[in-house]
Amino acid sequence: MTPALVAVSPGPYVTIQDTGRRGWRRFGIATAGAMDIASLIFANSLVGNPADSAGLEFAHVGGEWEVAATSCRIAVTGGDFTLSVDGQKLPNWQSHSLRRGQRFIIGGAPDAVWGYIGIAGSFDIPPRFGSLATHLRSRLGGLEGGLIKPGDSLPLAAAVAPAALERRVFPRGRPNWPFRIVLGPQQDYFDPASIETFLRTTYKVTHRADRMGTWLDGPRIPHARGFNVVSDGIVPGCIQIPGAGVPVVLLKDCQTHGGYPKLATVITADLSRFAQLKPGTPLRFACIGVEAAQAIAVKYHARLAGIEHWVEDVAEEARPPPQVEPLQRQG
Amino acid sequence: MYYPRFLPLGDTALSVEFGDSISPELNQAVVDLDLAVRAAKLESITETAPSYRSLLICYEPALMSFDALVAALRGLMSLAKQTASATAVAWSVPVLYEPPFADDLPDVARQLGLSAEAIIGLHTGAAYRVYMLGFAPGWPYLGGLPEALHTSRKETPRAQVPIGAIVIGGVQAGIVPITTPSGWHIIGQTPLRPFEPDGKKPFLFGAGDSVRFRRVDKAEFDVLSALSPEALLEMVRTER
């Protein structure tokens, strides 16, 4: 029997994601990939996967899952998401090996929107254009390009959990300092006074937020010379100001090209932290130069590459008490 | 304003802007630089994406600073004209402009005050340029739609536009690569697939290609639809 993870009752917005698709933008194919890259890498590291392996990403709640393999090692990261296995509460940001038939339920988190389930060995699903990242709008990647639905069976590459010790990490909180931006490419579509307003305003995250982007609530940013630019390339992090003057921060599933003026771009190192803001959270932006942003990006990438060093083995004596036998299901 | 301009998109991308309008000349400058950049195979550049009047360049800041990249690009730009090879393709796209496919042709005729025949004549009579691929996988942004066919978009976008639909919207013409919602008007259908995710050549078009539409009847449409993707491609590729 093919080893699998069964989505018994998944959260409403669960997709398979890895670190994203590169090199296909010229053909209209978006980056996609995990909204919070560091959390996906932590999840992978905890279960012993390479950093760019595909895991499950969920928004707000993870839902209920069942192991349909001899055994399977999982880890939940992203925020302080509740995790229970067959009714027993287990720590997040730590790996757990489960047996066939065991069910785990992932609830919500007070400190995050996006959660990740790392699965040892990842999925046995062919990549599309070099990646397993799901891009919902073009129905590409993951499980036939779509959301994970109740009853879906996700084929796993490993039939048994690794023999290595379980691993854990103590996550650092996310700072609430301003989100750093580099002005451009179209700041000349705005008066200096408008840019000043943008930088002085405390915005709020709205409920209009998904993998494509987040709409902000705050004062209008008027355009100095209309709001139609000749469509050109956009990347995750770009802050578009559409006709109504309300900023939209574009995220991983954003289109490859857009026709609204882009006032600025959130720096790479701050983008995952931005994606994790819950609706209603106040935030501010701070302008930095491109050289400073690059120096931060280099350090950030080095930190991502070093995530492995933050993860430690769980000593035998620190392990949770043995898991209870799964309930025999009727029929 | 002096062009080209080098504009940052954060810390890992920049846009080389050649102008502020839509013209074949500006777009050719973009395509030429794109070819030169790809031929140079700079380790620091992770990908490039042409658009109407600018080239997006994604790069690794650990390997090259913004200023160093701009300097390298200025150098490549002087070579761009010479390295430009004849990679552009001329396409003759077969179109059936009849029910059950040409759903919006009557509406467009009403909006423009033209007969359906006149619209088909204008649509097939024009030469189009693929300015870029974007919006969806393999979606060609076609410029060159005659002014008489410029329309306002549908008031309510259609939830599902089928693959191969021939559409017009605003000043643009398109060939739909994936089933998608769209506010553009459907005036015909082609058996061609601009996006074949499992094919040897997943993306039919490239920036800089030229396109003409050729009217076919139902009998020819059916014959073409029955061909293998490779055989169909041979039929619609015309040499320049």
Side-chain angles (χ1 to χ4, degrees):
Chain A
M1 211 167 70
T2 317
L5 183 64
V6 177
V8 179
S9 176
Y13 201 73
V14 183
T15 54
I16 293 176
Q17 297 295 343
D18 58 17
T19 51
R21 207 166 260 112
R22 267 161 223 93
W24 301 96
R25 187 167 276 292
R26 60 189 301 100
F27 298 111
I29 292 192
T31 319
M35 297 287 275
D36 179 351
I37 287 283
S39 290
L40 173 72
I41 296 177
F42 270 118
N44 277 324
S45 180
L46 287 167
V47 297
N49 286 349
D52 57 356
S53 300
L56 289 166
E57 178 189 271
F58 56 88
H60 303 294
V61 288
E64 185 173 12
W65 304 78
E66 182 176 318
V67 174
T70 305
S71 58
C72 173
R73 180 165 287 180
I74 62 143
V76 175
T77 66
D80 196 11
F81 290 97
T82 60
L83 168 66
S84 62
V85 177
D86 295 332
Q88 185 190 3
K89 200 168 178 297
L90 290 181
N92 48 33
W93 299 88
Q94 176 168 330
S95 71
H96 306 282
S97 295
L98 311 181
R99 291 181 304 279
R100 182 183 302 280
Q102 284 195 299
R103 290 187 171 194
F104 59 96
I105 297 178
I106 301 166
D111 58 342
V113 171
W114 303 100
Y116 295 86
I117 310 174
I119 300 142
S122 191
F123 303 103
D124 182 21
I125 297 175
R128 306 303 296 274
F129 298 96
S131 162
L132 274 180
T134 308
H135 188 239
L136 294 168
R137 230 174 129 271
S138 45
R139 298 207 63 79
L140 207 64
L143 203 62
E144 285 155 18
L147 293 171
I148 305 299
K149 301 178 300 298
D152 278 346
S153 181
L154 312 176
L156 300 179
V160 292
L165 287 176
E166 304 289 355
R167 310 182 82 195
R168 70 179 167 189
V169 66
F170 295 101
R172 286 197 312 182
R174 297 184 181 91
N176 63 353
W177 58 47
F179 290 87
R180 292 159 294 183
I181 58 168
V182 175
L183 284 180
Q186 273 122 16
Q187 78 266 35
D188 55 354
Y189 273 71
F190 304 89
D191 290 329
S194 300
I195 298 175
E196 193 73 3
T197 304
F198 175 77
L199 291 171
R200 278 168 193 259
T201 297
T202 298
Y203 283 98
K204 259 189 186 158
V205 175
T206 68
H207 284 274
R208 198 171 169 196
D210 59 17
R211 289 190 41 87
M212 280 185 73
T214 296
W215 273 251
L216 299 179
D217 184 21
R220 276 186 72 236
I221 302 298
H223 302 83
R225 31 187 291 235
F227 57 83
N228 287 303
V229 298
V230 176
S231 280
D232 61 1
I234 49 184
V235 295
C238 277
I239 302 175
Q240 269 191 346
I241 316 281
V246 180
V248 182
V249 180
L250 299 174
L251 298 169
K252 290 299 172 73
D253 273 8
C254 73
Q255 294 169 197
T256 53
H257 297 78
Y260 292 118
K262 297 166 277 294
L263 172 60
T265 309
V266 177
I267 69 169
T268 308
D270 284 353
L271 203 52
S272 291
R273 181 166 66 93
F274 178 86
Q276 287 287 22
L277 296 179
K278 288 192 168 235
T281 311
L283 70 126
R284 292 186 64 162
F285 294 103
C287 185
I288 62 172
V290 66
E291 298 79 11
Q294 292 196 315
I296 297 168
V298 171
K299 278 189 192 161
Y300 172 71
H301 284 127
R303 274 210 313 279
L304 289 184
I307 273 182
E308 184 73 18
H309 304 305
W310 294 91
V311 174
E312 58 184 19
D313 289 338
V314 179
E316 290 286 345
E317 62 272 20
R319 279 192 177 187
Q323 287 146 5
V324 293
E325 282 299 310
L327 293 173
Q328 291 297 314
R329 269 177 295 135
Q330 302 297 311
Chain B
M1 199 96 71
Y2 294 100
Y3 292 105
R5 299 202 295 165
F6 299 87
L7 309 169
L9 282 82
D11 45 47
T12 55
L14 69 81
S15 173
V16 186
E17 205 176 87
F18 287 91
D20 198 16
S21 60
I22 300 177
S23 79
E25 293 74 26
L26 284 178
N27 188 240
Q28 194 57 47
V30 173
V31 170
D32 289 347
L33 179 62
D34 182 41
L35 280 168
V37 169
R38 287 197 289 155
K41 295 197 194 310
L42 294 177
E43 197 196 349
S44 51
I45 294 181
T46 51
E47 61 183 305
T48 60
S51 62
Y52 284 109
R53 45 63 191 257
S54 59
L55 182 66
L56 178 77
I57 294 180
C58 301
Y59 65 103
E60 291 282 356
L63 300 180
M64 206 179 243
S65 71
F66 180 86
D67 289 340
L69 183 57
V70 168
L73 289 169
R74 284 194 190 280
L76 285 171
M77 222 169 266
S78 57
L79 299 169
K81 278 261 151 38
Q82 296 147 40
T83 51
S85 55
T87 53
V89 178
W91 301 97
S92 170
V93 174
V95 181
L96 179 63
Y97 293 93
E98 282 170 29
F101 296 118
D103 279 5
D104 298 325
L105 199 48
D107 274 354
V108 173
R110 217 167 299 130
Q111 193 190 126
L112 298 176
L114 292 169
S115 68
E117 282 303 314
I119 289 167
I120 297 167
L122 286 163
H123 191 251
T124 53
Y128 302 83
R129 177 187 178 87
V130 178
Y131 279 95
M132 60 182 187
L133 301 183
F135 174 67
W139 182 294
Y141 280 73
L142 298 179
L145 186 72
E147 213 175 320
L149 293 184
H150 294 181
T151 54
S152 49
R153 295 186 182 182
K154 293 172 80 72
E155 276 177 23
T156 313
R158 192 181 258 105
Q160 298 268 290
V161 178
I163 296 171
I166 300 298
V167 292
I168 59 173
V171 304
Q172 300 187 98
I175 306 167
V176 175
I178 62 166
T179 308
T180 181
S182 171
W184 294 20
H185 307 277
I186 303 178
I187 63 165
Q189 175 76 27
T190 179
L192 280 182
R193 298 286 173 269
F195 178 50
E196 292 261 22
D198 300 314
K200 281 197 202 99
K201 188 180 186 304
F203 308 95
L204 194 60
F205 301 109
D209 285 359
S210 60
V211 169
R212 298 193 80 103
F213 294 104
R214 179 173 71 86
R215 185 181 194 173
V216 297
D217 58 18
K218 184 74 170 61
E220 188 180 352
F221 180 85
D222 289 342
V223 169
L224 294 173
S225 299
L227 291 176
S228 71
E230 294 78 20
L232 181 58
L233 276 191
E234 282 311 305
M235 305 272 298
V236 299
R237 223 182 135 109
T238 59
E239 295 309 319
R240 249 188 181 165

